[in-house]
Amino acid sequence: MDPNDGSTKSARDIIDASAAESLGTACTRVEERIQAALGEQEKGASIEFESCLDVPKGGVLCALPALLSNGLLNDIEHHLGKLTGYYQTFHILLLLAFMGLCRIKNTEQLREHAPGEFGKLLGLDRAPEVRCLRTKVKGLSDPESVESWAADLSRQWMENEPEAAGTLYIDGHVRVYHGRLTKLPKRHVSREKLCLRGITDYWVNDGTGRPFFVVEKTVDPGLLKTLEEDIVPRLLKDIPNQPSAQALQQNKQACRFILVFDREGYSPAFFRKMWNKHRVACMTYHKFPTENWPLDNFSGQEITLPSGEKVIMKLAERGSLVGTKKQAMWMREVRKLTDSGHQTSIITTAYELELTAVSGRMFSRWCQDNFFRYMKHHYGLDILQEYGIEPLSDTQKVANPDRRQQEGQRNSIQSKLNYRLSRFAAMELHPVIKKDETEDVKYKKWERKRAELLEEIEHYENELKTIKEKLSQTPKHITWQELRDEDKFEQLLPGKKRLIDTVNMIAYRAETAMAALLTSPTIDFPMARQLLQTLFVTEADILPDEVKKQLRIRVHSTSRPASNKAIEKLFEQLNQTELNYPGTDLRLIYELTSSAKN
C-alpha cells in the first residue's frame, strides 16, 4: 500500500466545512442521517472507515484491546438499554472512553476538538455535537441500570483476578460541591484541611490501585457504617474463591478476605464484629500503641509490595489485646522501626498472613491516595458532570442540626470553663499572703479576682449541666422528613456521574494494563503512564483494507528512539490479540510509521 494513500487533514477540513451548509459540520453521510432522523434505521450508523492520514489523537485506538478486555462493551444493551437514532450505545461508550484517555474531562471540552476528526476514530463521519452527546448520555444514565452494569463489571474483574480481590483497600474521597442548587452537608476534606459541602465516595481498590467499585454517600454515615451496611455484604457475594463454612470451621485462623483502611476505621469492636460474624479480617494503623518496644526485637526483612517493588524494613511482631472491656480482642500487632527511631504500629486479624505480607499490604495503602490524585488530575474525578437535584427519601437518616448546634454550645461552654478553672488553679498555687497594711490593696485585688472566677465557674458549670441535659434528650439522627424546611437539602442527580465514573474506571484499568506491558528495567510505571499519555494524543494514519480484512493504525513516531522501541514491543503484544474493531470484521493492526511495511 502506498503510504501516501488516504485523505489529508487539509482535504478533510475542506469537506467537513462544506458540509456545514447542509446538515452541519462534517455531516457527510446525509442519507444515513436522514433515515435515522425519520426512524428508519434501527441499528444506527454503520461503522465505515476511510483511509485517512494524520488523524489527531489517532493513537488512542491503541487502547481499544485493553478497553474491551476490561468490559467496556460487555452486555451494554442488556444493562443500559438501546439508543435510537444515528448514534448507538456502543458509539457513545467508545467516545466517552476515548475522551477519558485523551484527557477530555467533560462533554463541554469536546467543543475544542474537530468533530470530523474525532469521528474518524469511531468509523463515523463525525462525533456527536455536545448537546446531542448530553442527550445520549442522559438516555444511558438511569441510576439502577448503570449500577447494575457497574456491579456486573466489578464481579467480572474480581473473577478474572481472584488474588487481587483477596485484599481490598477502602477509603473515602470527598467531591466538593461549590454550586448553589442545594446546601449539602459539610464534611472534613483532608486535602483542603477544611469542612466543606460535598459528597463522599467510598472507593474499593486492589493493592495496585485499580478500582473495583465505588459507593456514593450524600449523607455520610462514616467509613465503619458504610463498610458494615454497603461494602462488606456486597463483597461477601462477589469475591470469588472464598473458603467454605466447613473450611473456616476446620481452620480457626482462616479468613474470607482482608480489608485495609486508614485510622478512620480503627475500632476494636468493628474488628471483633467482622471476625465473629463474617470471618473477615481487617487491617489498619494502631491509634493508641503502648510504649516503644525494645530495639533488639526488630530485624531487617525484605518486603515485596503488591506492585512488585522490594524494600527492606525493620519489623517486629507480638500478640496484643486491643480494646477495652467486652470489646477487647487479641490481634496481631506489627511494628516498623524507622530510621528516626519512630515505631509505626499495625494491628490486624489476618492471622494466617506472613509478617512481611502484613507490612507490605498495609504500607501499600498509599496506592489509593495516588489513585485519587491521578484520577482528579487526569480524569476530572471532582468535576460536576450534571446539573440538577432530586429529593432524598423521607426515611433517610440525617444528622440532627439541633444536636449539632447544642454540641457546639457545649464545646464553647466547656472551653470557657476549662480556661477559668486553669486560671483559678494558678491563683491557688500562687496566693497573695497578707503581711502588713502596705500589701492590703494587692491582697484585696487578688481576693476580688478569685471571687469573680468562682462565680464565673459556678455559672458555666450550671450552663454546662443544662446543655448536657438537653443533649441527652436530643437524638443524634432524625429522618429527612423531620428536618425543618430551612435545613432540608437535596442530593445531586446521580445517573450521569455514575456512568462517567464507570467508564473512567474502565479507562484507568485499561491504561494500567497497558503500562504494565511497557515496564522494563529502563521504564518504570510512572514513566510508562507518561509514555501512554503521549501515545493517546499522537496523530495516526487509519488505513482500512477490505480485501485483507484489516484496519491498520499507523501511529506517528515519538521524539525519542528509545520510546519508539518500547511502543513497538507494545504493538507486538497488541497485534497478538487479533482483535476486530467493534461492529466490523476488520482486524486491528498496530504499527509505527518508522517501521511500517508498505
Side-chain angles (χ1 to χ4, degrees):
M1 180 183 292
D2 188 341
N4 295 319
D5 283 351
S7 61
T8 63
K9 190 174 184 302
S10 298
R12 294 193 300 273
D13 284 345
I14 295 172
I15 296 172
D16 292 347
S18 62
E21 299 176 1
S22 54
L23 293 182
T25 301
C27 294
T28 56
R29 298 187 187 178
V30 178
E31 185 176 347
E32 277 189 274
R33 287 185 173 274
I34 292 175
Q35 288 178 349
L38 297 175
E40 298 177 359
Q41 201 172 33
E42 295 182 0
K43 295 183 179 180
S46 59
I47 295 181
E48 298 176 5
F49 285 98
E50 304 170 2
S51 294
C52 301
L53 304 178
D54 308 328
V55 178
K57 297 178 176 57
V60 77
L61 289 171
C62 301
L64 196 52
L67 289 171
L68 297 181
S69 66
N70 277 280
L72 178 64
L73 302 182
N74 286 5
D75 299 324
I76 52 174
E77 292 191 358
H78 170 71
H79 290 290
L80 303 179
K82 187 176 181 179
L83 294 174
T84 59
Y86 190 75
Y87 298 102
Q88 296 298 293
T89 303
F90 78 99
H91 293 144
I92 301 302
L93 293 181
L94 280 174
L95 175 60
L96 292 176
F98 290 160
M99 287 170 59
L101 291 170
C102 292
R103 278 44 180 180
I104 302 173
K105 298 176 183 177
N106 57 35
T107 53
E108 289 297 324
Q109 291 183 2
L110 193 60
R111 296 183 189 274
E112 303 170 8
H113 304 272
E117 297 303 293
F118 225 98
K120 299 299 183 285
L121 305 178
L122 303 171
L124 303 175
D125 52 351
R126 62 160 289 163
E129 191 267 336
V130 170
R131 184 170 53 181
C132 173
L133 180 58
R134 285 203 212 102
T135 303
K136 295 293 185 181
V137 170
K138 186 176 181 180
L140 298 174
S141 297
D142 175 69
E144 292 184 2
S145 301
V146 176
E147 189 62 36
S148 170
W149 182 48
D152 190 48
L153 286 172
S154 176
R155 282 190 293 270
Q156 291 177 29
W157 294 334
M158 290 182 181
E159 289 171 0
N160 292 338
E161 296 185 74
E163 290 186 5
T167 302
L168 298 166
Y169 295 73
I170 298 93
D171 198 8
H173 175 79
V174 179
R175 299 195 194 205
V176 179
Y177 175 67
H178 298 289
R180 299 180 180 179
L181 293 178
T182 185
K183 291 185 177 180
L184 293 173
K186 287 186 177 181
R187 57 210 69 194
H188 183 256
V189 185
S190 57
R191 63 184 181 275
E192 302 285 350
K193 297 182 180 179
L194 293 170
C195 285
L196 302 171
R197 301 189 187 278
I199 299 171
T200 302
D201 293 337
Y202 288 97
W203 289 82
V204 179
N205 300 53
D206 68 7
T208 59
R210 293 176 301 176
F212 283 116
F213 62 88
V214 59
V215 176
E216 177 186 319
K217 290 292 181 182
T218 301
V219 180
D220 183 13
L223 174 62
L224 294 180
K225 200 75 172 176
T226 304
L227 277 168
E228 183 177 352
E229 296 181 355
D230 298 284
I231 296 176
V232 171
R234 179 169 174 176
L235 294 176
L236 289 171
K237 293 187 298 182
D238 291 353
I239 291 182
N241 300 340
Q242 296 182 42
S244 63
Q246 183 179 0
L248 293 173
Q249 183 66 26
Q250 293 174 351
N251 186 352
K252 298 297 184 180
Q253 292 188 333
C255 66
R256 294 183 180 276
F257 49 85
I258 303 170
L259 302 178
V260 184
F261 38 80
D262 61 11
R263 287 181 178 85
E264 183 185 353
Y266 174 84
S267 170
F270 179 78
F271 277 48
R272 182 186 182 92
K273 187 173 185 178
M274 288 294 104
W275 183 262
N276 292 339
K277 187 175 180 180
H278 303 300
R279 289 291 286 275
V280 172
C282 299
M283 188 184 300
T284 189
Y285 295 108
H286 200 331
K287 256 189 179 181
F288 309 106
T290 57
E291 66 281 353
N292 285 345
W293 293 354
L295 297 181
D296 57 7
N297 288 8
F298 294 85
S299 61
Q301 303 278 351
E302 184 179 72
I303 310 298
T304 302
L305 302 177
S307 61
E309 181 184 358
K310 294 185 178 182
V311 296
I312 302 295
M313 297 182 186
K314 292 181 179 179
L315 304 175
E317 179 182 3
R318 290 182 186 177
S320 297
L321 184 64
V322 183
T324 57
K325 299 180 180 179
K326 293 182 180 180
Q327 303 301 337
M329 183 178 185
W330 278 98
M331 305 182 193
R332 296 176 65 185
E333 183 174 1
V334 176
R335 292 196 181 185
K336 171 192 172 185
L337 180 65
T338 64
D339 294 336
S340 63
H342 175 71
Q343 296 182 12
T344 304
S345 176
I346 302 168
I347 54 171
T348 182
T349 50
Y351 300 109
E352 284 195 319
L353 210 59
E354 294 182 1
L355 170 63
T356 55
V358 170
S359 302
R361 297 185 190 189
M362 189 68 238
F363 292 118
S364 292
R365 209 201 65 78
W366 50 263
C367 70
Q368 213 166 13
D369 295 330
N370 288 350
F371 167 76
F372 291 144
R373 191 179 300 110
Y374 192 85
M375 292 294 288
K376 180 182 177 182
H377 180 70
H378 291 275
Y379 287 89
L381 180 64
D382 292 343
I383 290 178
L384 182 66
Q385 297 290 351
E386 184 174 15
Y387 295 96
I389 55 177
E390 64 180 20
L392 288 164
S393 169
D394 290 344
T395 58
Q396 173 69 55
K397 290 285 186 179
V398 298
N400 189 343
D402 291 339
R403 185 179 177 89
R404 186 178 297 169
Q405 183 180 10
Q406 292 169 5
E407 287 175 344
Q409 292 174 356
R410 179 200 60 191
N411 295 340
S412 176
I413 294 170
Q414 186 70 64
S415 176
K416 293 175 181 178
L417 176 61
N418 291 342
Y419 172 69
R420 282 157 179 80
L421 286 171
S422 63
R423 283 187 61 193
F424 183 80
M427 292 182 70
E428 289 295 308
L429 286 172
H430 306 284
V432 175
I433 300 174
K434 183 179 178 182
K435 295 180 179 179
D436 51 41
E437 294 182 359
T438 58
E439 297 184 6
D440 185 62
V441 175
K442 188 175 181 181
Y443 175 77
K444 287 183 177 179
K445 185 178 180 180
W446 174 84
E447 192 176 45
R448 186 174 62 253
K449 284 185 177 180
R450 181 176 179 275
E452 289 173 355
L453 273 176
L454 278 172
E455 185 178 349
E456 290 177 359
I457 288 170
E458 184 178 353
H459 169 72
Y460 283 120
E461 284 178 341
N462 290 333
E463 278 196 356
L464 188 61
K465 182 179 179 181
T466 302
I467 196 69
K468 283 184 175 180
E469 288 177 355
K470 287 184 180 179
L471 272 171
S472 65
Q473 299 170 4
T474 306
K476 291 183 178 181
H477 297 90
I478 58 176
T479 62
W480 184 84
Q481 190 176 19
E482 293 172 329
L483 282 172
R484 294 186 296 266
D485 290 341
E486 61 269 21
D487 294 325
K488 286 186 176 179
F489 58 92
E490 287 77 26
Q491 64 180 348
L492 303 180
L493 293 177
K496 187 175 178 181
K497 170 184 172 294
R498 290 181 183 173
L499 179 68
I500 299 298
D501 276 350
T502 304
V503 174
N504 283 342
M505 276 195 280
I506 296 171
Y508 179 86
R509 292 179 70 93
E511 181 183 318
T512 303
M514 296 179 69
L517 297 177
L518 278 172
T519 53
S520 67
T522 57
I523 300 178
D524 59 10
F525 223 85
M527 189 181 297
R529 286 195 182 278
Q530 291 179 1
L531 193 57
L532 288 173
Q533 292 166 26
T534 303
L535 173 64
F536 294 151
V537 297
T538 301
E539 293 184 341
D541 304 333
I542 300 177
L543 306 171
D545 189 333
E546 296 292 344
V547 177
K548 295 182 179 179
K549 299 297 181 183
Q550 293 179 349
L551 181 63
R552 294 173 61 196
I553 310 299
R554 193 168 59 192
V555 182
H556 290 198
S557 299
T558 66
S559 59
R560 298 187 303 122
S563 299
N564 286 339
K565 289 181 180 179
I567 291 175
E568 284 178 349
K569 292 181 180 179
L570 173 65
F571 286 175
E572 289 176 6
Q573 298 178 75
L574 295 180
N575 291 334
Q576 290 175 5
T577 63
E578 298 185 351
L579 178 74
N580 289 348
Y581 192 97
T584 73
D585 58 354
L586 300 178
R587 184 161 63 91
L588 287 163
I589 304 293
Y590 298 103
E591 57 190 15
L592 280 173
T593 53
S594 59
S595 59
K597 296 179 181 179
N598 303 316

